[in-house]
Amino acid sequence: MRFAFRFLNAAVALVTLASAVVVLVSDVTDPAYRAHYRDAIWFVAAYCAVQLGLLVEFARGGPSQRLLVLAKTAAAYGFLLALAHLWPYWKVWTPARYVYLIFELPSGSQVGLMALVLLGRGAFNTVNVMVYTEEWWYPLRLRRPILGRVVTAAFVGVTVLCVWLFFGLVREEARTFSGEAQEVAEMVLATLDCDAIRAHTGQSTADVRQHGDRTYGVAIAYDCPTIQVRVHAEDGRVGTAAATRPECCGEPS
């Protein structure tokens, strides 16, 4: 079991490292890319070093695997607890941004990203800790049966909670998501230039747009640098689009 998780952890580190290296090379060779994402080269380089360290340690089965798994899981839990504030900023700012792109579906559905966040960061990391700390908690079940079962139940409970939240969000999206509204949201987002963003920075606007023979309610939040568009279809379903536009923040020229 642990060998399988060693392989999975190494694979995750490899994919994440590949994304970070692409970002680092782009930042160094293309100033416009760096300006657009506002990357700090030192941070991207440090991120690459961390992922390289994870890859090497899991690939060779080093003695620090358990410590790294605990650190990864603590970071994942912190991310999940702050998800409402970090999303959608983090998926654009992180050097692992291209990993998120892999999970983005062409239809605009968030199912892939929800799987990455809840099943990947939540459920997988919880089971990961459970596997790597087995020699800590399993003997506890023999020495202190009640306490040992409480610890086991905590692991299982967090895993089940993440899976339950994922399927609940999938059902909710199926009920509320509109591909047509998503298309309109992306069209509206594409029409917003820097002058419009600067003129409305910190504001939210709402209006009605016509697309084909249908009418859509459009709400735009100019929370610079992230601009979010939410579109309501006539049947009550919604579509959203967001983009980070740091080059459009600040006073008009």
Side-chain angles (χ1 to χ4, degrees):
M1 175 68 76
R2 183 169 295 189
F3 176 79
F5 274 81
R6 262 187 59 197
F7 174 79
L8 290 172
N9 280 295
V12 170
L14 177 61
V15 173
T16 307
L17 175 62
S19 172
V21 168
V22 171
V23 171
L24 181 60
V25 172
S26 300
D27 283 335
V28 171
T29 59
D30 187 354
Y33 179 94
R34 185 170 68 252
H36 175 75
Y37 286 103
R38 293 189 173 183
D39 289 329
I41 292 181
W42 68 266
F43 175 75
V44 179
Y47 193 92
C48 288
V50 170
Q51 296 304 322
L52 179 60
L54 289 170
L55 175 59
V56 170
E57 189 68 9
F58 286 116
R60 71 185 183 92
S64 300
Q65 291 178 87
R66 183 186 295 122
L67 180 61
L68 293 176
V69 165
L70 290 171
K72 282 179 57 181
T73 303
Y77 286 172
F79 176 84
L80 291 173
L81 290 173
L83 186 62
H85 300 288
L86 289 175
W87 201 264
Y89 302 99
W90 179 246
K91 71 173 185 177
V92 176
W93 289 348
T94 174
R97 62 179 66 110
Y98 295 111
V99 177
Y100 287 88
L101 287 179
I102 295 173
F103 289 86
E104 286 190 352
L105 302 180
S107 64
S109 170
Q110 299 294 302
V111 170
L113 292 173
M114 287 187 291
L116 174 63
V117 171
L118 291 173
L119 300 184
R121 286 183 176 270
F124 171 76
N125 278 302
T126 302
V127 178
N128 209 13
V129 168
M130 196 172 184
V131 169
Y132 272 91
T133 60
E134 183 179 8
E135 58 266 39
W136 293 353
W137 59 266
Y138 191 76
L140 190 62
R141 291 174 60 91
L142 303 178
R143 297 194 308 268
R144 305 283 295 276
I146 295 178
L147 180 59
R149 281 165 173 75
V150 168
V151 173
T152 306
F155 282 128
V156 174
V158 173
T159 304
V160 170
L161 175 63
C162 292
V163 175
W164 177 78
L165 286 173
F166 169 71
F167 284 107
L169 290 172
V170 169
R171 288 193 298 270
E172 181 66 15
E173 185 187 74
R175 186 179 66 83
T176 62
F177 176 74
S178 167
E180 294 82 3
Q182 177 74 23
E183 181 181 353
V184 173
E186 291 174 352
M187 291 173 57
V188 171
L189 183 63
T191 65
L192 299 177
D193 57 21
C194 282
D195 289 337
I197 293 172
R198 291 191 183 102
H200 296 90
T201 296
Q203 302 176 13
S204 295
T205 63
D207 60 87
V208 176
R209 308 285 178 97
Q210 188 77 24
H211 181 65
D213 58 351
R214 297 185 179 181
T215 302
Y216 298 87
V218 177
I220 307 173
Y222 296 89
D223 186 17
C224 207
T226 300
I227 313 304
Q228 300 186 65
V229 179
R230 185 177 180 87
V231 173
H232 291 260
E234 293 173 333
D235 60 4
R237 295 186 299 160
V238 301
T240 61
T244 300
R245 302 282 300 277
E247 73 279 8
C248 296
C249 299
E251 295 296 327
S253 59

